[in-house]
Amino acid sequence: SNAGEVYLIFGRPDLSWNAITDVNGNFNLSNIYQANRMVRFVGRTTSEQLSKVSGVGDINNDGFADFTMGTHT
């Protein structure tokens, strides 16, 4: 459907890279999901192509890093 999807993976100091990736270095989404360390965002419509993600620092001054998502236009 080309709606696209973005995964937000919550890090933490004790989360090892090997625990969330497979032997090829790809994210193992089932392990991340089961540990409640991920949120999945899915595009609303066909051809929306949700995929543009950027870390933007702390734009609202709440002490947490923020990110933005966008779609192909």
Side-chain angles (χ1 to χ4, degrees):
S1 71
N2 290 327
E5 55 191 45
V6 171
Y7 294 88
L8 171 61
I9 299 170
F10 300 104
R12 63 178 193 240
D14 64 334
L15 184 64
S16 75
W17 185 253
N18 292 333
I20 61 171
T21 57
D22 63 18
V23 295
N24 297 315
N26 299 311
F27 286 114
N28 184 334
L29 297 176
S30 63
N31 284 356
I32 298 167
Y33 182 75
Q34 290 173 4
N36 293 322
R37 305 305 304 168
M38 175 185 77
V39 176
R40 177 179 172 216
F41 299 90
V42 179
R44 293 181 300 167
T45 61
T46 300
S47 301
E48 189 171 59
Q49 298 179 358
L50 178 66
S51 64
K52 309 290 186 220
V53 178
S54 178
V56 292
D58 183 11
I59 60 174
N60 61 351
N61 294 318
D62 65 356
F64 297 98
D66 301 309
F67 77 103
T68 60
M69 295 184 294
T71 63
H72 177 70
T73 57

Short mmCIF file of all heavy atoms in Angstrom, two decimals:
data_model
loop_
_atom_site.label_atom_id
_atom_site.label_comp_id
_atom_site.label_asym_id
_atom_site.label_seq_id
_atom_site.Cartn_x
_atom_site.Cartn_y
_atom_site.Cartn_z
N SER A 1 0.82 -1.21 0.00
CA SER A 1 0.00 0.00 0.00
C SER A 1 0.85 1.26 0.00
O SER A 1 0.33 2.33 -0.17
CB SER A 1 -0.93 0.00 1.20
OG SER A 1 -0.20 0.22 2.39
N ASN A 2 2.15 1.12 0.24
CA ASN A 2 3.06 2.27 0.28
C ASN A 2 2.68 3.30 1.34
O ASN A 2 3.03 4.46 1.23
CB ASN A 2 3.17 2.96 -1.08
CG ASN A 2 3.91 2.11 -2.08
OD1 ASN A 2 4.81 1.36 -1.72
ND2 ASN A 2 3.54 2.20 -3.34
N ALA A 3 1.90 2.88 2.36
CA ALA A 3 1.56 3.81 3.43
C ALA A 3 2.79 4.16 4.25
O ALA A 3 2.91 5.24 4.79
CB ALA A 3 0.49 3.22 4.34
N GLY A 4 3.73 3.22 4.34
CA GLY A 4 4.97 3.43 5.09
C GLY A 4 4.78 3.21 6.58
O GLY A 4 3.66 3.18 7.09
N GLU A 5 5.90 3.01 7.27
CA GLU A 5 5.85 2.86 8.71
C GLU A 5 7.19 3.28 9.31
O GLU A 5 8.22 3.23 8.65
CB GLU A 5 5.50 1.43 9.12
CG GLU A 5 6.38 0.38 8.54
CD GLU A 5 5.82 -1.01 8.78
OE1 GLU A 5 4.62 -1.23 8.60
OE2 GLU A 5 6.61 -1.88 9.17
N VAL A 6 7.12 3.74 10.54
CA VAL A 6 8.30 4.19 11.29
C VAL A 6 8.25 3.52 12.64
O VAL A 6 7.19 3.41 13.27
CB VAL A 6 8.29 5.73 11.47
CG1 VAL A 6 9.38 6.18 12.43
CG2 VAL A 6 8.45 6.42 10.13
N TYR A 7 9.40 3.04 13.11
CA TYR A 7 9.51 2.43 14.43
C TYR A 7 10.32 3.34 15.33
O TYR A 7 11.43 3.73 14.99
CB TYR A 7 10.21 1.07 14.33
CG TYR A 7 9.41 0.04 13.56
CD1 TYR A 7 9.54 -0.08 12.19
CD2 TYR A 7 8.53 -0.79 14.22
CE1 TYR A 7 8.80 -1.02 11.49
CE2 TYR A 7 7.78 -1.73 13.53
CZ TYR A 7 7.93 -1.84 12.16
OH TYR A 7 7.20 -2.77 11.48
N LEU A 8 9.77 3.68 16.47
CA LEU A 8 10.48 4.44 17.50
C LEU A 8 10.93 3.43 18.55
O LEU A 8 10.10 2.77 19.19
CB LEU A 8 9.57 5.49 18.13
CG LEU A 8 10.12 6.22 19.37
CD1 LEU A 8 11.40 6.97 19.02
CD2 LEU A 8 9.08 7.14 19.94
N ILE A 9 12.24 3.27 18.70
CA ILE A 9 12.80 2.29 19.62
C ILE A 9 13.34 3.04 20.83
O ILE A 9 14.19 3.91 20.69
CB ILE A 9 13.89 1.46 18.94
CG1 ILE A 9 13.28 0.71 17.75
CG2 ILE A 9 14.54 0.50 19.94
CD1 ILE A 9 14.29 0.05 16.86
N PHE A 10 12.82 2.70 22.00
CA PHE A 10 13.24 3.35 23.24
C PHE A 10 14.53 2.72 23.73
O PHE A 10 14.59 1.52 23.96
CB PHE A 10 12.17 3.22 24.32
CG PHE A 10 10.86 3.84 23.95
CD1 PHE A 10 9.80 3.05 23.58
CD2 PHE A 10 10.70 5.21 23.96
CE1 PHE A 10 8.58 3.61 23.23
CE2 PHE A 10 9.50 5.79 23.61
CZ PHE A 10 8.44 4.99 23.24
N GLY A 11 15.56 3.52 23.88
CA GLY A 11 16.82 3.02 24.40
C GLY A 11 16.86 3.10 25.91
O GLY A 11 15.99 3.67 26.56
N ARG A 12 17.86 2.46 26.47
CA ARG A 12 18.14 2.55 27.90
C ARG A 12 19.57 2.08 28.10
O ARG A 12 20.11 1.34 27.27
CB ARG A 12 17.15 1.73 28.72
CG ARG A 12 17.19 0.25 28.46
CD ARG A 12 16.20 -0.50 29.36
NE ARG A 12 16.49 -1.90 29.29
CZ ARG A 12 15.64 -2.83 28.87
NH1 ARG A 12 14.44 -2.47 28.49
NH2 ARG A 12 15.99 -4.09 28.83
N PRO A 13 20.21 2.49 29.15
CA PRO A 13 21.63 2.17 29.35
C PRO A 13 21.95 0.68 29.34
O PRO A 13 23.00 0.27 28.87
CB PRO A 13 21.97 2.79 30.70
CG PRO A 13 20.96 3.87 30.90
CD PRO A 13 19.72 3.38 30.21
N ASP A 14 21.03 -0.16 29.85
CA ASP A 14 21.32 -1.58 29.93
C ASP A 14 20.81 -2.38 28.73
O ASP A 14 20.83 -3.61 28.74
CB ASP A 14 20.74 -2.17 31.22
CG ASP A 14 19.23 -2.08 31.26
OD1 ASP A 14 18.65 -1.19 30.60
OD2 ASP A 14 18.62 -2.90 31.96
N LEU A 15 20.37 -1.73 27.67
CA LEU A 15 19.88 -2.41 26.48
C LEU A 15 21.03 -2.61 25.51
O LEU A 15 21.56 -1.66 24.95
CB LEU A 15 18.77 -1.59 25.82
CG LEU A 15 18.09 -2.21 24.61
CD1 LEU A 15 17.34 -3.47 25.01
CD2 LEU A 15 17.12 -1.20 23.99
N SER A 16 21.44 -3.86 25.31
CA SER A 16 22.57 -4.13 24.44
C SER A 16 22.13 -4.17 22.99
O SER A 16 21.01 -4.54 22.66
CB SER A 16 23.24 -5.46 24.81
OG SER A 16 22.46 -6.54 24.36
N TRP A 17 23.04 -3.77 22.10
CA TRP A 17 22.78 -3.79 20.67
C TRP A 17 22.46 -5.20 20.20
O TRP A 17 21.58 -5.42 19.37
CB TRP A 17 24.00 -3.23 19.93
CG TRP A 17 23.80 -3.09 18.46
CD1 TRP A 17 24.35 -3.87 17.49
CD2 TRP A 17 22.99 -2.13 17.78
NE1 TRP A 17 23.94 -3.46 16.26
CE2 TRP A 17 23.10 -2.38 16.40
CE3 TRP A 17 22.18 -1.09 18.21
CZ2 TRP A 17 22.43 -1.63 15.45
CZ3 TRP A 17 21.52 -0.33 17.24
CH2 TRP A 17 21.65 -0.60 15.88
N ASN A 18 23.17 -6.20 20.74
CA ASN A 18 22.95 -7.59 20.33
C ASN A 18 21.55 -8.09 20.71
O ASN A 18 21.02 -8.99 20.06
CB ASN A 18 24.00 -8.50 20.95
CG ASN A 18 25.37 -8.23 20.37
OD1 ASN A 18 25.51 -7.78 19.25
ND2 ASN A 18 26.40 -8.51 21.14
N ALA A 19 20.96 -7.53 21.75
CA ALA A 19 19.63 -7.97 22.17
C ALA A 19 18.54 -7.51 21.22
O ALA A 19 17.47 -8.10 21.18
CB ALA A 19 19.33 -7.45 23.58
N ILE A 20 18.80 -6.46 20.45
CA ILE A 20 17.76 -5.92 19.57
C ILE A 20 18.07 -6.10 18.09
O ILE A 20 17.30 -5.65 17.25
CB ILE A 20 17.49 -4.44 19.88
CG1 ILE A 20 18.73 -3.59 19.66
CG2 ILE A 20 16.95 -4.27 21.29
CD1 ILE A 20 18.48 -2.10 19.74
N THR A 21 19.18 -6.75 17.75
CA THR A 21 19.52 -6.98 16.35
C THR A 21 19.74 -8.47 16.09
O THR A 21 20.02 -9.24 17.00
CB THR A 21 20.78 -6.21 15.94
OG1 THR A 21 21.87 -6.59 16.79
CG2 THR A 21 20.58 -4.71 16.02
N ASP A 22 19.64 -8.85 14.81
CA ASP A 22 19.95 -10.22 14.45
C ASP A 22 21.43 -10.32 14.05
O ASP A 22 22.17 -9.34 14.17
CB ASP A 22 19.02 -10.72 13.34
CG ASP A 22 19.17 -9.96 12.03
OD1 ASP A 22 20.20 -9.27 11.82
OD2 ASP A 22 18.24 -10.05 11.20
N VAL A 23 21.85 -11.47 13.57
CA VAL A 23 23.26 -11.69 13.25
C VAL A 23 23.75 -10.80 12.10
O VAL A 23 24.94 -10.58 11.96
CB VAL A 23 23.55 -13.17 12.92
CG1 VAL A 23 23.33 -14.04 14.13
CG2 VAL A 23 22.71 -13.65 11.75
N ASN A 24 22.82 -10.26 11.30
CA ASN A 24 23.19 -9.38 10.19
C ASN A 24 23.14 -7.90 10.58
O ASN A 24 23.37 -7.03 9.75
CB ASN A 24 22.26 -9.62 9.00
CG ASN A 24 22.40 -11.01 8.46
OD1 ASN A 24 23.51 -11.51 8.29
ND2 ASN A 24 21.28 -11.66 8.20
N GLY A 25 22.83 -7.61 11.85
CA GLY A 25 22.76 -6.22 12.30
C GLY A 25 21.41 -5.56 12.06
O GLY A 25 21.25 -4.37 12.28
N ASN A 26 20.42 -6.33 11.60
CA ASN A 26 19.07 -5.79 11.39
C ASN A 26 18.30 -5.82 12.71
O ASN A 26 18.47 -6.73 13.52
CB ASN A 26 18.32 -6.63 10.35
CG ASN A 26 19.00 -6.63 9.01
OD1 ASN A 26 19.37 -5.59 8.49
ND2 ASN A 26 19.19 -7.80 8.46
N PHE A 27 17.44 -4.85 12.91
CA PHE A 27 16.64 -4.82 14.13
C PHE A 27 15.76 -6.06 14.22
O PHE A 27 15.12 -6.46 13.24
CB PHE A 27 15.75 -3.58 14.20
CG PHE A 27 16.49 -2.33 14.51
CD1 PHE A 27 16.59 -1.32 13.58
CD2 PHE A 27 17.10 -2.16 15.74
CE1 PHE A 27 17.28 -0.16 13.87
CE2 PHE A 27 17.80 -1.01 16.03
CZ PHE A 27 17.88 -0.01 15.09
N ASN A 28 15.72 -6.68 15.38
CA ASN A 28 14.84 -7.81 15.65
C ASN A 28 13.60 -7.23 16.31
O ASN A 28 13.54 -7.09 17.53
CB ASN A 28 15.53 -8.83 16.55
CG ASN A 28 14.71 -10.05 16.79
OD1 ASN A 28 13.48 -10.02 16.71
ND2 ASN A 28 15.37 -11.16 17.08
N LEU A 29 12.63 -6.85 15.50
CA LEU A 29 11.47 -6.12 16.00
C LEU A 29 10.64 -6.93 16.99
O LEU A 29 10.05 -6.37 17.90
CB LEU A 29 10.61 -5.65 14.83
CG LEU A 29 11.28 -4.66 13.89
CD1 LEU A 29 10.36 -4.34 12.72
CD2 LEU A 29 11.68 -3.39 14.61
N SER A 30 10.60 -8.25 16.86
CA SER A 30 9.80 -9.03 17.80
C SER A 30 10.38 -8.96 19.21
O SER A 30 9.65 -8.84 20.18
CB SER A 30 9.67 -10.49 17.35
OG SER A 30 10.94 -11.11 17.32
N ASN A 31 11.71 -9.00 19.35
CA ASN A 31 12.33 -8.87 20.67
C ASN A 31 12.09 -7.50 21.26
O ASN A 31 11.82 -7.35 22.45
CB ASN A 31 13.83 -9.12 20.60
CG ASN A 31 14.17 -10.58 20.47
OD1 ASN A 31 13.31 -11.44 20.50
ND2 ASN A 31 15.44 -10.87 20.30
N ILE A 32 12.19 -6.48 20.45
CA ILE A 32 12.00 -5.11 20.92
C ILE A 32 10.55 -4.90 21.34
O ILE A 32 10.25 -4.34 22.39
CB ILE A 32 12.40 -4.10 19.83
CG1 ILE A 32 13.88 -4.24 19.48
CG2 ILE A 32 12.10 -2.67 20.28
CD1 ILE A 32 14.29 -3.51 18.23
N TYR A 33 9.62 -5.40 20.53
CA TYR A 33 8.19 -5.25 20.83
C TYR A 33 7.82 -5.97 22.12
O TYR A 33 7.11 -5.44 22.96
CB TYR A 33 7.35 -5.77 19.66
CG TYR A 33 5.87 -5.62 19.87
CD1 TYR A 33 5.27 -4.38 19.75
CD2 TYR A 33 5.09 -6.71 20.20
CE1 TYR A 33 3.91 -4.22 19.95
CE2 TYR A 33 3.73 -6.58 20.41
CZ TYR A 33 3.15 -5.33 20.28
OH TYR A 33 1.80 -5.19 20.49
N GLN A 34 8.32 -7.18 22.31
CA GLN A 34 8.00 -7.95 23.50
C GLN A 34 8.53 -7.29 24.76
O GLN A 34 7.97 -7.46 25.85
CB GLN A 34 8.56 -9.37 23.38
CG GLN A 34 7.82 -10.19 22.36
CD GLN A 34 8.48 -11.53 22.11
OE1 GLN A 34 9.45 -11.89 22.74
NE2 GLN A 34 7.94 -12.27 21.16
N ALA A 35 9.60 -6.52 24.65
CA ALA A 35 10.17 -5.84 25.81
C ALA A 35 9.54 -4.46 26.04
O ALA A 35 9.99 -3.70 26.87
CB ALA A 35 11.68 -5.70 25.63
N ASN A 36 8.48 -4.13 25.29
CA ASN A 36 7.81 -2.83 25.39
C ASN A 36 8.78 -1.67 25.18
O ASN A 36 8.73 -0.66 25.89
CB ASN A 36 7.08 -2.68 26.73
CG ASN A 36 5.91 -3.62 26.84
OD1 ASN A 36 5.20 -3.85 25.87
ND2 ASN A 36 5.71 -4.16 28.02
N ARG A 37 9.67 -1.82 24.23
CA ARG A 37 10.68 -0.79 23.95
C ARG A 37 10.46 -0.14 22.60
O ARG A 37 11.36 0.46 22.04
CB ARG A 37 12.09 -1.40 23.98
CG ARG A 37 12.47 -2.14 25.25
CD ARG A 37 12.32 -1.34 26.51
NE ARG A 37 13.06 -0.11 26.49
CZ ARG A 37 12.92 0.85 27.38
NH1 ARG A 37 12.06 0.73 28.35
NH2 ARG A 37 13.62 1.94 27.30
N MET A 38 9.26 -0.27 22.01
CA MET A 38 9.05 0.20 20.66
C MET A 38 7.61 0.68 20.47
O MET A 38 6.69 0.15 21.06
CB MET A 38 9.33 -0.95 19.68
CG MET A 38 9.04 -0.64 18.25
SD MET A 38 9.26 -2.08 17.20
CE MET A 38 7.78 -3.00 17.55
N VAL A 39 7.47 1.69 19.61
CA VAL A 39 6.17 2.13 19.14
C VAL A 39 6.22 2.12 17.62
O VAL A 39 7.21 2.55 17.03
CB VAL A 39 5.83 3.55 19.64
CG1 VAL A 39 4.52 4.03 19.06
CG2 VAL A 39 5.81 3.61 21.15
N ARG A 40 5.18 1.62 17.00
CA ARG A 40 5.11 1.56 15.53
C ARG A 40 4.10 2.58 15.04
O ARG A 40 2.96 2.60 15.48
CB ARG A 40 4.70 0.15 15.11
CG ARG A 40 4.54 -0.01 13.63
CD ARG A 40 4.15 -1.45 13.32
NE ARG A 40 3.81 -1.60 11.94
CZ ARG A 40 2.86 -2.40 11.50
NH1 ARG A 40 2.16 -3.13 12.35
NH2 ARG A 40 2.61 -2.49 10.22
N PHE A 41 4.53 3.43 14.13
CA PHE A 41 3.66 4.42 13.49
C PHE A 41 3.45 3.97 12.05
O PHE A 41 4.41 3.69 11.34
CB PHE A 41 4.31 5.81 13.50
CG PHE A 41 4.60 6.34 14.87
CD1 PHE A 41 5.81 6.09 15.48
CD2 PHE A 41 3.65 7.10 15.53
CE1 PHE A 41 6.09 6.59 16.74
CE2 PHE A 41 3.92 7.60 16.80
CZ PHE A 41 5.14 7.35 17.40
N VAL A 42 2.20 3.91 11.62
CA VAL A 42 1.87 3.47 10.27
C VAL A 42 1.17 4.60 9.54
O VAL A 42 0.29 5.27 10.10
CB VAL A 42 0.96 2.21 10.31
CG1 VAL A 42 0.60 1.76 8.91
CG2 VAL A 42 1.64 1.10 11.08
N GLY A 43 1.55 4.81 8.28
CA GLY A 43 0.90 5.84 7.47
C GLY A 43 -0.60 5.59 7.35
O GLY A 43 -1.06 4.46 7.36
N ARG A 44 -1.36 6.65 7.24
CA ARG A 44 -2.82 6.54 7.23
C ARG A 44 -3.39 6.13 5.88
O ARG A 44 -4.42 5.48 5.80
CB ARG A 44 -3.46 7.87 7.62
CG ARG A 44 -3.21 8.26 9.04
CD ARG A 44 -3.89 9.56 9.37
NE ARG A 44 -3.37 10.60 8.48
CZ ARG A 44 -3.90 11.79 8.31
NH1 ARG A 44 -5.00 12.11 8.96
NH2 ARG A 44 -3.37 12.67 7.52
N THR A 45 -2.76 6.54 4.80
CA THR A 45 -3.35 6.32 3.49
C THR A 45 -2.36 5.68 2.53
O THR A 45 -1.14 5.78 2.71
CB THR A 45 -3.83 7.65 2.87
OG1 THR A 45 -2.71 8.52 2.72
CG2 THR A 45 -4.88 8.31 3.73
N THR A 46 -2.89 5.05 1.49
CA THR A 46 -2.06 4.48 0.45
C THR A 46 -1.21 5.58 -0.17
O THR A 46 -1.67 6.70 -0.38
CB THR A 46 -2.96 3.83 -0.63
OG1 THR A 46 -3.73 2.83 0.00
CG2 THR A 46 -2.14 3.24 -1.74
N SER A 47 0.02 5.29 -0.42
CA SER A 47 0.99 6.19 -1.06
C SER A 47 1.45 7.33 -0.15
O SER A 47 2.10 8.26 -0.62
CB SER A 47 0.46 6.75 -2.38
OG SER A 47 0.18 5.68 -3.26
N GLU A 48 1.10 7.31 1.13
CA GLU A 48 1.57 8.36 2.03
C GLU A 48 3.08 8.27 2.22
O GLU A 48 3.75 9.26 2.39
CB GLU A 48 0.86 8.27 3.37
CG GLU A 48 1.15 9.45 4.26
CD GLU A 48 0.28 9.46 5.50
OE1 GLU A 48 0.34 8.50 6.26
OE2 GLU A 48 -0.45 10.43 5.68
N GLN A 49 3.63 7.06 2.21
CA GLN A 49 5.07 6.82 2.32
C GLN A 49 5.69 7.44 3.55
O GLN A 49 6.70 8.12 3.49
CB GLN A 49 5.79 7.28 1.04
CG GLN A 49 5.34 6.55 -0.19
CD GLN A 49 6.04 7.03 -1.44
OE1 GLN A 49 6.84 7.94 -1.42
NE2 GLN A 49 5.71 6.40 -2.55
N LEU A 50 5.07 7.20 4.71
CA LEU A 50 5.62 7.66 5.97
C LEU A 50 7.01 7.05 6.14
O LEU A 50 7.17 5.85 6.15
CB LEU A 50 4.73 7.22 7.14
CG LEU A 50 5.21 7.59 8.54
CD1 LEU A 50 5.20 9.11 8.72
CD2 LEU A 50 4.32 6.94 9.59
N SER A 51 8.04 7.89 6.18
CA SER A 51 9.39 7.34 6.29
C SER A 51 10.44 8.35 6.67
O SER A 51 11.53 7.98 7.03
CB SER A 51 9.80 6.69 4.96
OG SER A 51 9.87 7.66 3.94
N LYS A 52 10.17 9.59 6.57
CA LYS A 52 11.17 10.60 6.86
C LYS A 52 11.23 10.84 8.37
O LYS A 52 10.27 11.26 8.98
CB LYS A 52 10.85 11.93 6.16
CG LYS A 52 10.57 11.81 4.68
CD LYS A 52 11.81 11.46 3.93
CE LYS A 52 11.50 11.51 2.44
NZ LYS A 52 12.09 10.50 1.67
N VAL A 53 12.39 10.52 8.97
CA VAL A 53 12.55 10.66 10.41
C VAL A 53 13.81 11.45 10.68
O VAL A 53 14.82 11.28 10.03
CB VAL A 53 12.64 9.28 11.10
CG1 VAL A 53 12.86 9.43 12.59
CG2 VAL A 53 11.42 8.46 10.81
N SER A 54 13.75 12.32 11.68
CA SER A 54 14.92 13.12 12.02
C SER A 54 14.94 13.37 13.52
O SER A 54 13.91 13.70 14.11
CB SER A 54 14.85 14.46 11.29
OG SER A 54 15.94 15.27 11.65
N GLY A 55 16.11 13.19 14.13
CA GLY A 55 16.31 13.61 15.51
C GLY A 55 16.49 15.12 15.52
O GLY A 55 17.24 15.66 14.72
N VAL A 56 15.79 15.80 16.37
CA VAL A 56 15.81 17.26 16.34
C VAL A 56 16.24 17.87 17.67
O VAL A 56 16.10 19.07 17.86
CB VAL A 56 14.44 17.83 15.92
CG1 VAL A 56 14.14 17.50 14.48
CG2 VAL A 56 13.33 17.35 16.83
N GLY A 57 16.74 17.04 18.59
CA GLY A 57 17.11 17.57 19.90
C GLY A 57 15.88 17.73 20.77
O GLY A 57 14.87 17.10 20.56
N ASP A 58 15.96 18.60 21.73
CA ASP A 58 14.85 18.83 22.67
C ASP A 58 14.13 20.11 22.26
O ASP A 58 14.38 21.19 22.79
CB ASP A 58 15.40 18.94 24.10
CG ASP A 58 14.30 19.12 25.13
OD1 ASP A 58 13.12 18.95 24.78
OD2 ASP A 58 14.64 19.41 26.29
N ILE A 59 13.19 19.99 21.32
CA ILE A 59 12.56 21.20 20.77
C ILE A 59 11.50 21.81 21.68
O ILE A 59 11.16 22.97 21.52
CB ILE A 59 11.97 20.96 19.37
CG1 ILE A 59 10.90 19.88 19.39
CG2 ILE A 59 13.05 20.61 18.38
CD1 ILE A 59 10.18 19.70 18.07
N ASN A 60 10.98 21.05 22.64
CA ASN A 60 9.95 21.61 23.52
C ASN A 60 10.46 21.83 24.95
O ASN A 60 9.67 22.07 25.86
CB ASN A 60 8.70 20.74 23.52
CG ASN A 60 8.95 19.33 24.01
OD1 ASN A 60 10.09 18.92 24.20
ND2 ASN A 60 7.89 18.58 24.19
N ASN A 61 11.76 21.70 25.15
CA ASN A 61 12.40 21.98 26.44
C ASN A 61 11.84 21.18 27.62
O ASN A 61 11.74 21.69 28.73
CB ASN A 61 12.33 23.48 26.76
CG ASN A 61 13.14 24.30 25.79
OD1 ASN A 61 14.25 23.91 25.43
ND2 ASN A 61 12.57 25.41 25.34
N ASP A 62 11.49 19.90 27.37
CA ASP A 62 11.01 19.06 28.46
C ASP A 62 12.11 18.16 29.02
O ASP A 62 11.86 17.36 29.91
CB ASP A 62 9.81 18.22 28.03
CG ASP A 62 10.14 17.20 26.93
OD1 ASP A 62 11.29 17.18 26.45
OD2 ASP A 62 9.24 16.43 26.57
N GLY A 63 13.32 18.30 28.51
CA GLY A 63 14.44 17.50 28.99
C GLY A 63 14.62 16.18 28.27
O GLY A 63 15.51 15.40 28.60
N PHE A 64 13.79 15.90 27.27
CA PHE A 64 13.89 14.67 26.49
C PHE A 64 14.16 14.98 25.03
O PHE A 64 13.63 15.97 24.49
CB PHE A 64 12.60 13.85 26.60
CG PHE A 64 12.29 13.39 27.99
CD1 PHE A 64 11.40 14.09 28.78
CD2 PHE A 64 12.91 12.27 28.52
CE1 PHE A 64 11.10 13.68 30.07
CE2 PHE A 64 12.63 11.84 29.81
CZ PHE A 64 11.73 12.55 30.59
N ALA A 65 14.95 14.13 24.38
CA ALA A 65 15.20 14.30 22.95
C ALA A 65 13.92 14.03 22.18
O ALA A 65 13.14 13.15 22.52
CB ALA A 65 16.30 13.35 22.50
N ASP A 66 13.68 14.80 21.14
CA ASP A 66 12.49 14.67 20.31
C ASP A 66 12.86 14.19 18.92
O ASP A 66 14.03 14.19 18.54
CB ASP A 66 11.78 16.03 20.21
CG ASP A 66 11.38 16.58 21.56
OD1 ASP A 66 10.75 15.83 22.33
OD2 ASP A 66 11.70 17.74 21.85
N PHE A 67 11.87 13.78 18.16
CA PHE A 67 12.09 13.42 16.77
C PHE A 67 10.87 13.86 15.96
O PHE A 67 9.81 14.11 16.50
CB PHE A 67 12.35 11.92 16.61
CG PHE A 67 11.13 11.06 16.72
CD1 PHE A 67 10.55 10.53 15.59
CD2 PHE A 67 10.57 10.78 17.95
CE1 PHE A 67 9.42 9.72 15.69
CE2 PHE A 67 9.46 9.97 18.06
CZ PHE A 67 8.87 9.45 16.92
N THR A 68 11.06 13.98 14.67
CA THR A 68 9.96 14.33 13.78
C THR A 68 9.79 13.24 12.74
O THR A 68 10.74 12.52 12.41
CB THR A 68 10.22 15.67 13.07
OG1 THR A 68 11.41 15.57 12.30
CG2 THR A 68 10.33 16.81 14.05
N MET A 69 8.59 13.11 12.22
CA MET A 69 8.30 12.18 11.12
C MET A 69 7.64 12.97 10.01
O MET A 69 6.94 13.95 10.25
CB MET A 69 7.33 11.09 11.56
CG MET A 69 7.86 10.17 12.62
SD MET A 69 6.72 8.84 13.02
CE MET A 69 5.35 9.72 13.76
N GLY A 70 7.87 12.52 8.80
CA GLY A 70 7.24 13.18 7.67
C GLY A 70 6.93 12.18 6.57
O GLY A 70 7.28 11.00 6.65
N THR A 71 6.26 12.67 5.55
CA THR A 71 5.88 11.82 4.43
C THR A 71 6.44 12.39 3.14
O THR A 71 6.82 13.55 3.07
CB THR A 71 4.35 11.72 4.31
OG1 THR A 71 3.84 13.01 4.04
CG2 THR A 71 3.74 11.14 5.56
N HIS A 72 6.46 11.54 2.15
CA HIS A 72 6.88 11.96 0.82
C HIS A 72 5.79 12.87 0.24
O HIS A 72 4.60 12.57 0.36
CB HIS A 72 7.08 10.73 -0.06
CG HIS A 72 7.45 11.06 -1.46
ND1 HIS A 72 8.68 11.59 -1.78
CD2 HIS A 72 6.77 10.94 -2.61
CE1 HIS A 72 8.74 11.77 -3.08
NE2 HIS A 72 7.59 11.38 -3.60
N THR A 73 6.20 13.95 -0.38
CA THR A 73 5.20 14.85 -0.97
C THR A 73 5.34 14.91 -2.45
O THR A 73 6.33 14.60 -3.01
CB THR A 73 5.32 16.28 -0.40
OG1 THR A 73 6.63 16.74 -0.63
CG2 THR A 73 4.98 16.29 1.05
#
